[in-house]
Amino acid sequence: MNEIRRLYDRIVLAPARAARTWSAMHWHRWRTRHQILARTSHYRARAARTHSP
């Protein structure tokens, strides 16, 4: 029984965990990049409003 459980873990569960980890890291990188771009755009728009006559 232990060998079957170990094989199941290595073949089925490990790839699923790796896919979830990759997906979470991808989302984290995308979200961080999006926040930086939004902040930069916000500051640029704010500066354009305050410096316009």
Side-chain angles (χ1 to χ4, degrees), residues 4 10 12 14 19-20 25 27-29 31-32 40-41 43 45 47 49-51 53:
I4 294 170
R10 301 279 177 169
V12 177
R20 283 193 305 267
M25 291 301 295
W27 180 86
H28 174 70
R29 281 189 223 109
R31 181 69 181 143
T32 303
T40 303
S41 177
Y43 290 156
R49 279 194 309 261
T50 59
H51 295 303

Side-chain angles (χ1 to χ4, degrees), residues 2-21:
N2 289 337
E3 284 298 317
I4 294 170
R5 185 176 296 143
R6 184 175 183 191
L7 285 173
Y8 179 78
D9 183 49
R10 301 279 177 169
I11 295 169
V12 177
L13 297 180
R17 277 189 229 120
R20 283 193 305 267
T21 301

